[in-house]
Every structure is written in C-alpha cells, then in structure tokens.
Amino acid sequence: MTKPRLFSGMQPSADSLQIGNYIGALMQWRGMQDDYDAFFTVVDLHAITVPQDPAQLREKTRRTAAQYIAAGVEPSRSTLYVQSQVPAHAELAWILSTITGFGEAGRMTQFKDKSQRYGADQASVGLFTYPVLMAADILLFQAEAVPVGDDQKQHVELTRNLAERFNSRFGETFVVPTPVIQGETARIYDLQDPTSKMSKSAESQAGVLYLLDDINATAKKVMRAVTDSEGVVRYDRAEKPGVSNLLTIYAALTGREISSIEDEYAGRGYGDFKKGLRDVIVAEFEPVRARALELLEDPAELDRVLSANAERASEAAEQTLATVYERVGLLRRG
Ligand code: ATP
Ligand code: LTN
C-alpha cells in the first residue's frame, strides 16, 4: 500500500535552529517518517522574502539541512531537499496567486507581524505572497499531512481554502491537506520575554535556545530564564508565563505530563527546577549538535545528498504541475 504524503519545511533564516523548531516541528517529523511518504524542505525562497546576505544564505541553507538530518530526518527514507532546486514551487505559486484574494492574503497575521517589524515601506510583495508559496509547496506534493507549529495554522487553513477553490473551479486536482499541530502546549516562548514566540531570527539571542550553541551557553540561558516571584513550579500561562514555558519544554522533551513535573518539584525552588531542565536540554541537544557539526565538515557530500533528493522531489512535483497547467488551460510545449 502506498503511504500518505507529508510535507513540511523551515526557513534557512539563521545559523542554528532553536528549541521551538525542534519541539514544534523536528520531533514530530522524526516520528512521522515511518507512516508517511515525507518531503522535508529547506525553504530558501521563503527566506528571501526578508533581506538576506547571499553567502550567508547558502551557508544557512546547508546548516538547516544538516540539522534536519542530525535531529533524525533520514534522507534515504524521506525526501529532504532545498526548495529553490525544484522550480515547480515557484511555478505553482504564480498560478495559485491568481486565485488568492488580496484581502484574504492581507489577513495573514505573520505578514502583519513581519511587515510591522520591517516597516511598511520595507515589506516586499514577496513577503505578502509568502503564504501562497507555502500553499504551493504543500499542494505540489498532494500532501495529506502538514506537521507545523501552532503559529503556521492560519497558513495551512489558507492552503486548504485555495485547494478547495481550485478544485471547484477547475475540477478535482489537489488533495486538501490537514495541519498536524500538537496544540497550544507546542508553542515555545522566548526565555527572556515569555509572552513572545521564540524565533531563530530574533533580535536578541539572550532568550533563544539554539541547537548549535555551545552547551555551556545553553545551560547559562536556561539558568537565567525569566520566572516570577511566587517561587512555586506551577503551570499558569496567564499569570506565570516564564515558568509555564519552562514546564512546556520539560514536558515536551521528556514525554512527561506537566502535572508530574509539578509534583516532582513541589516544595523546591526555581533553582532546582532549572537545573533539572538544563540537564534534560543538554542531554537532548548534545548528540544533535555533534552530528550536525560532523555533517557540516563535508559540505560537498551534503550538497550531493540534497541534489539527489531534489531530483526525487522534482519528479513528484512535475506530475502535479502538468495536471494544473492542463486544467487551467495553459498551452503546453509539445
Ligand atoms: P523565523 O525567526 O525565521 O521566523 P522561526 O524560528 O519562527 O523562524 P520558522 O522557520 O518560521 O521558525 O518555522 C519552522 C517550524 O518551527 C515551523 O513548523 C514552526 O511552526 C515551528 N516553530 C517555530 N518557532 C516555534 C516556537 N517558538 N514554538 C513552536 N514551534 C515553532
Ligand atoms: N512558513 C513556514 C515554513 C514553510 C512551510 C511550508 C511549513 C514554508 N513552506 C510548507 C510547512 C509546509 C514557517 O515559517 N515555519
């Protein structure tokens, strides 16, 4: 029996991924490879929607791919490739942009946040149409499942709407995908500002736990995480965002219930709790970091693996694109 398709991706927007990417995405990806025909992409075309230095972008693209592999994505089993190496992404995005409403795209909260961050004059049209490219990524592969963090739910909703709209206008063409989201507990916040989502391209790195950081630096960041003055290890997102965020990380990495961690630390201070969490994170990150750095020592081999996988992805993508061109009425080259 053929396995259902899965698609997901991350932007090469930093030298290292952060723990939110690991918990919100990579851990799920790793676990779903057995049951799905999975495509994992480094979405470099998305990354250039905000300014990037060309040499650094190439380097970040390799580093992101290496971290996928180090975290357990297996390029012999899943298709791990770089988005720009498969031109069908950009081609389908154009077609989908013609059935996307201007207002519909304008309601995307990530666009609103990012355009505010860069200033309305600096925000590009590419940033505005970012979700349309994301829809193209997913629909090209007829993916049923899209494992993402909770912040990407709105984009997958848009993808569903575009798939349904295309299907009803031009005939059944796309599988309508379903987001696979762990729920609110899967959202990780900045350790210094626990009401903002942790983000790998954050301005201040003090509250971001990077996978490739030196282990001592990671340990220090955990010990310095913002908490509160109550002194009780208890989950309460509204009143205790700092401690709740640390509990979420602890539970996600160990697979334990939050209540069992609260019980373990009952009557003990935040110092003990943070030390426990620090040990959990260090044990999780150490092998991933070592493997990623090892892979990066041989960039030519990494590039070879990525190219071979892009070849595989192209074959699947071209099939969908041919059908789409046909349905839309574009005259194909003979
Ligand atoms: P950027 O700062 O470039 O926007 P990011 O760190 O927010 O990057 P993305 O590349 O946008 O990460 O996202 C990659 C994947 O990681 C997505 O599936 C996203 O939902 C997930 N993710 C990102 N940040 C978090 C977070 N703080 N908590 C949970 N999941 C997250
Ligand atoms: N927009 C996503 C990255 C992304 C993606 C995708 C995720 C681009 N294309 C397709 C899932 C499926 C983000 O910013 N995290």
Side-chain angles (χ1 to χ4, degrees), residues 10-11 13 18 20-21 24-25 114 148-149 151-152 186-188 197-201:
M10 284 189 213
Q11 299 185 66
S13 49
Q18 42 89 5
N21 305 133
K114 287 200 179 177
V148 283
D151 61 304
Q152 293 299 310
R187 187 181 284 231
I188 309 299
K197 181 183 97 97
M198 191 184 285
S199 163
K200 61 177 132 62
S201 61

Side-chain angles (χ1 to χ4, degrees), residues 29-275:
W29 294 6
R30 181 168 68 202
M32 294 174 85
Q33 291 179 99
D34 282 337
D35 300 326
Y36 290 88
D37 176 15
F39 292 78
F40 297 116
T41 309
V42 180
V43 293
D44 53 349
L45 296 175
H46 278 106
I48 60 169
T49 57
V50 298
Q52 300 291 338
D53 172 82
Q56 282 182 20
L57 177 63
R58 253 185 298 277
E59 176 63 18
K60 289 171 181 174
T61 300
R62 285 200 188 96
R63 291 174 80 97
T64 303
Q67 289 170 87
Y68 285 8
I69 299 172
V73 168
E74 295 174 34
S76 53
R77 258 204 307 172
S78 299
T79 308
L80 190 180
Y81 70 101
V82 177
Q83 187 188 31
S84 62
Q85 293 182 6
V86 177
H89 286 271
E91 295 175 280
L92 182 59
W94 175 256
I95 307 245
L96 293 178
S97 76
T98 66
I99 64 161
T100 309
F102 198 83
E104 190 175 33
R107 283 193 289 278
M108 297 294 120
T109 55
Q110 182 176 296
F111 170 73
K112 289 195 233 170
D113 292 348
K114 287 200 179 177
S115 57
Q116 238 167 32
R117 202 190 314 163
Y118 292 96
D121 296 344
Q122 296 299 316
S124 67
V125 173
L127 188 64
F128 185 66
T129 56
Y130 175 116
V132 180
L133 179 59
M134 177 161 163
D137 298 343
I138 297 166
L139 300 181
L140 258 187
F141 294 95
Q142 307 288 8
E144 285 181 28
V146 185
V148 283
D150 148 89
D151 61 304
Q152 293 299 310
K153 195 173 169 181
Q154 196 187 26
H155 289 163
V156 183
E157 269 312 308
L158 175 73
T159 305
R160 290 171 59 85
N161 291 338
L162 292 179
E164 280 164 1
R165 191 172 307 153
F166 189 98
N167 287 348
S168 76
R169 247 183 239 182
F170 299 105
E172 276 310 306
T173 306
F174 294 122
V175 168
V176 180
T178 309
V180 180
I181 296 169
Q182 288 169 331
E184 166 60 20
T185 52
R187 187 181 284 231
I188 309 299
Y189 296 85
D190 191 287
L191 298 193
Q192 288 301 319
D193 176 12
T195 52
S196 313
K197 181 183 97 97
M198 191 184 285
S199 163
K200 61 177 132 62
S201 61
E203 246 162 59
S204 161
Q205 306 197 339
V208 182
L209 297 178
Y210 292 102
L211 272 179
L212 299 186
D213 258 356
D214 175 80
I215 292 297
N216 290 326
T218 300
K220 272 192 198 135
K221 285 180 183 175
V222 175
M223 296 309 291
R224 287 185 191 145
V226 166
T227 50
D228 54 64
S229 56
E230 190 193 36
V232 179
V233 178
R234 175 172 73 79
Y235 188 92
D236 181 342
R237 252 272 21 115
E239 298 297 324
K240 297 165 68 69
V243 171
S244 302
N245 188 37
L246 298 180
L247 275 166
T248 303
I249 296 174
Y250 205 130
L253 293 184
T254 56
R256 288 172 58 184
E257 294 291 334
I258 284 183
S259 58
S260 113
I261 303 166
E262 287 172 340
D263 291 347
E264 180 183 339
Y265 289 97
R268 295 159 69 183
Y270 290 152
D272 266 6
F273 172 55
K274 284 178 170 177
K275 280 187 198 148

